[in-house]
PDB file of all heavy atoms in Angstrom:
ATOM      1  N   LYS A 572      33.940   8.712  -3.500  1.00  0.00           N
ATOM      2  CA  LYS A 572      34.498   7.768  -4.482  1.00  0.00           C
ATOM      3  C   LYS A 572      35.778   8.332  -5.095  1.00  0.00           C
ATOM      4  O   LYS A 572      36.672   7.586  -5.488  1.00  0.00           O
ATOM      5  CB  LYS A 572      33.447   7.507  -5.566  1.00  0.00           C
ATOM      6  CG  LYS A 572      33.854   6.482  -6.615  1.00  0.00           C
ATOM      7  CD  LYS A 572      32.744   6.311  -7.637  1.00  0.00           C
ATOM      8  CE  LYS A 572      33.167   5.376  -8.767  1.00  0.00           C
ATOM      9  NZ  LYS A 572      32.101   5.269  -9.792  1.00  0.00           N
ATOM     10  N   ASN A 573      35.871   9.656  -5.159  1.00  0.00           N
ATOM     11  CA  ASN A 573      37.033  10.332  -5.726  1.00  0.00           C
ATOM     12  C   ASN A 573      37.980  10.861  -4.653  1.00  0.00           C
ATOM     13  O   ASN A 573      38.667  11.862  -4.853  1.00  0.00           O
ATOM     14  CB  ASN A 573      36.567  11.452  -6.653  1.00  0.00           C
ATOM     15  CG  ASN A 573      35.950  10.931  -7.930  1.00  0.00           C
ATOM     16  OD1 ASN A 573      36.637  10.619  -8.888  1.00  0.00           O
ATOM     17  ND2 ASN A 573      34.619  10.805  -7.943  1.00  0.00           N
ATOM     18  N   LYS A 574      37.990  10.172  -3.503  1.00  0.00           N
ATOM     19  CA  LYS A 574      38.950  10.414  -2.417  1.00  0.00           C
ATOM     20  C   LYS A 574      38.792  11.767  -1.724  1.00  0.00           C
ATOM     21  O   LYS A 574      39.718  12.238  -1.064  1.00  0.00           O
ATOM     22  CB  LYS A 574      40.407  10.288  -2.919  1.00  0.00           C
ATOM     23  CG  LYS A 574      40.717   9.024  -3.688  1.00  0.00           C
ATOM     24  CD  LYS A 574      40.519   7.788  -2.846  1.00  0.00           C
ATOM     25  CE  LYS A 574      40.883   6.514  -3.615  1.00  0.00           C
ATOM     26  NZ  LYS A 574      40.549   5.290  -2.860  1.00  0.00           N
ATOM     27  N   GLU A 575      37.620  12.396  -1.877  1.00  0.00           N
ATOM     28  CA  GLU A 575      37.368  13.639  -1.146  1.00  0.00           C
ATOM     29  C   GLU A 575      36.904  13.286   0.269  1.00  0.00           C
ATOM     30  O   GLU A 575      36.230  12.274   0.486  1.00  0.00           O
ATOM     31  CB  GLU A 575      36.296  14.489  -1.836  1.00  0.00           C
ATOM     32  CG  GLU A 575      36.602  14.849  -3.282  1.00  0.00           C
ATOM     33  CD  GLU A 575      37.692  15.897  -3.427  1.00  0.00           C
ATOM     34  OE1 GLU A 575      38.183  16.411  -2.397  1.00  0.00           O
ATOM     35  OE2 GLU A 575      38.064  16.196  -4.582  1.00  0.00           O
ATOM     36  N   ILE A 576      37.288  14.125   1.230  1.00  0.00           N
ATOM     37  CA  ILE A 576      36.812  13.968   2.614  1.00  0.00           C
ATOM     38  C   ILE A 576      35.641  14.936   2.789  1.00  0.00           C
ATOM     39  O   ILE A 576      35.817  16.159   2.678  1.00  0.00           O
ATOM     40  CB  ILE A 576      37.915  14.290   3.641  1.00  0.00           C
ATOM     41  CG1 ILE A 576      39.175  13.465   3.343  1.00  0.00           C
ATOM     42  CG2 ILE A 576      37.419  14.037   5.059  1.00  0.00           C
ATOM     43  CD1 ILE A 576      39.008  11.977   3.461  1.00  0.00           C
ATOM     44  N   VAL A 577      34.456  14.392   3.011  1.00  0.00           N
ATOM     45  CA  VAL A 577      33.234  15.194   2.945  1.00  0.00           C
ATOM     46  C   VAL A 577      32.594  15.371   4.324  1.00  0.00           C
ATOM     47  O   VAL A 577      32.284  14.393   5.007  1.00  0.00           O
ATOM     48  CB  VAL A 577      32.207  14.545   1.993  1.00  0.00           C
ATOM     49  CG1 VAL A 577      31.002  15.465   1.796  1.00  0.00           C
ATOM     50  CG2 VAL A 577      32.845  14.220   0.646  1.00  0.00           C
ATOM     51  N   ALA A 578      32.420  16.646   4.704  1.00  0.00           N
ATOM     52  CA  ALA A 578      31.629  16.978   5.895  1.00  0.00           C
ATOM     53  C   ALA A 578      30.268  17.460   5.410  1.00  0.00           C
ATOM     54  O   ALA A 578      30.185  18.266   4.485  1.00  0.00           O
ATOM     55  CB  ALA A 578      32.314  18.074   6.706  1.00  0.00           C
ATOM     56  N   VAL A 579      29.211  16.916   5.996  1.00  0.00           N
ATOM     57  CA  VAL A 579      27.847  17.271   5.598  1.00  0.00           C
ATOM     58  C   VAL A 579      27.129  17.907   6.775  1.00  0.00           C
ATOM     59  O   VAL A 579      27.188  17.392   7.896  1.00  0.00           O
ATOM     60  CB  VAL A 579      27.060  16.026   5.124  1.00  0.00           C
ATOM     61  CG1 VAL A 579      25.591  16.352   4.908  1.00  0.00           C
ATOM     62  CG2 VAL A 579      27.661  15.482   3.837  1.00  0.00           C
ATOM     63  N   THR A 580      26.470  19.046   6.527  1.00  0.00           N
ATOM     64  CA  THR A 580      25.662  19.667   7.574  1.00  0.00           C
ATOM     65  C   THR A 580      24.193  19.492   7.225  1.00  0.00           C
ATOM     66  O   THR A 580      23.828  19.463   6.048  1.00  0.00           O
ATOM     67  CB  THR A 580      25.957  21.173   7.714  1.00  0.00           C
ATOM     68  OG1 THR A 580      25.384  21.865   6.596  1.00  0.00           O
ATOM     69  CG2 THR A 580      27.446  21.434   7.749  1.00  0.00           C
ATOM     70  N   GLY A 581      23.374  19.376   8.245  1.00  0.00           N
ATOM     71  CA  GLY A 581      21.941  19.241   8.006  1.00  0.00           C
ATOM     72  C   GLY A 581      21.159  19.272   9.293  1.00  0.00           C
ATOM     73  O   GLY A 581      21.702  19.040  10.374  1.00  0.00           O
ATOM     74  N   ASP A 582      19.868  19.565   9.167  1.00  0.00           N
ATOM     75  CA  ASP A 582      19.016  19.583  10.362  1.00  0.00           C
ATOM     76  C   ASP A 582      17.702  18.842  10.156  1.00  0.00           C
ATOM     77  O   ASP A 582      17.025  18.508  11.101  1.00  0.00           O
ATOM     78  CB  ASP A 582      18.731  21.027  10.798  1.00  0.00           C
ATOM     79  CG  ASP A 582      18.085  21.854   9.692  1.00  0.00           C
ATOM     80  OD1 ASP A 582      17.857  21.304   8.594  1.00  0.00           O
ATOM     81  OD2 ASP A 582      17.809  23.043   9.926  1.00  0.00           O
ATOM     82  N   GLY A 583      17.363  18.579   8.901  1.00  0.00           N
ATOM     83  CA  GLY A 583      16.078  17.947   8.632  1.00  0.00           C
ATOM     84  C   GLY A 583      16.185  16.460   8.404  1.00  0.00           C
ATOM     85  O   GLY A 583      17.270  15.901   8.248  1.00  0.00           O
ATOM     86  N   VAL A 584      15.025  15.822   8.368  1.00  0.00           N
ATOM     87  CA  VAL A 584      14.979  14.389   8.075  1.00  0.00           C
ATOM     88  C   VAL A 584      15.510  14.132   6.666  1.00  0.00           C
ATOM     89  O   VAL A 584      16.110  13.093   6.387  1.00  0.00           O
ATOM     90  CB  VAL A 584      13.529  13.868   8.222  1.00  0.00           C
ATOM     91  CG1 VAL A 584      13.430  12.414   7.827  1.00  0.00           C
ATOM     92  CG2 VAL A 584      13.046  14.058   9.648  1.00  0.00           C
ATOM     93  N   ASN A 585      15.304  15.112   5.762  1.00  0.00           N
ATOM     94  CA  ASN A 585      15.800  14.951   4.394  1.00  0.00           C
ATOM     95  C   ASN A 585      17.322  14.889   4.321  1.00  0.00           C
ATOM     96  O   ASN A 585      17.889  14.420   3.338  1.00  0.00           O
ATOM     97  CB  ASN A 585      15.297  16.097   3.509  1.00  0.00           C
ATOM     98  CG  ASN A 585      15.761  17.456   4.005  1.00  0.00           C
ATOM     99  OD1 ASN A 585      15.715  17.738   5.194  1.00  0.00           O
ATOM    100  ND2 ASN A 585      16.197  18.310   3.115  1.00  0.00           N
ATOM    101  N   ASP A 586      17.997  15.344   5.376  1.00  0.00           N
ATOM    102  CA  ASP A 586      19.469  15.334   5.387  1.00  0.00           C
ATOM    103  C   ASP A 586      20.045  14.033   5.945  1.00  0.00           C
ATOM    104  O   ASP A 586      21.260  13.809   5.851  1.00  0.00           O
ATOM    105  CB  ASP A 586      19.992  16.494   6.248  1.00  0.00           C
ATOM    106  CG  ASP A 586      19.578  17.845   5.710  1.00  0.00           C
ATOM    107  OD1 ASP A 586      19.751  18.065   4.503  1.00  0.00           O
ATOM    108  OD2 ASP A 586      19.076  18.672   6.487  1.00  0.00           O
TER     109      ASP A 586
END
Side-chain angles (χ1 to χ4, degrees):
K572 183 180 175 183
N573 289 276
K574 309 298 182 187
E575 303 287 357
I576 307 297
V577 187
V579 172
T580 73
D582 57 0
V584 176
N585 60 316
D586 298 312

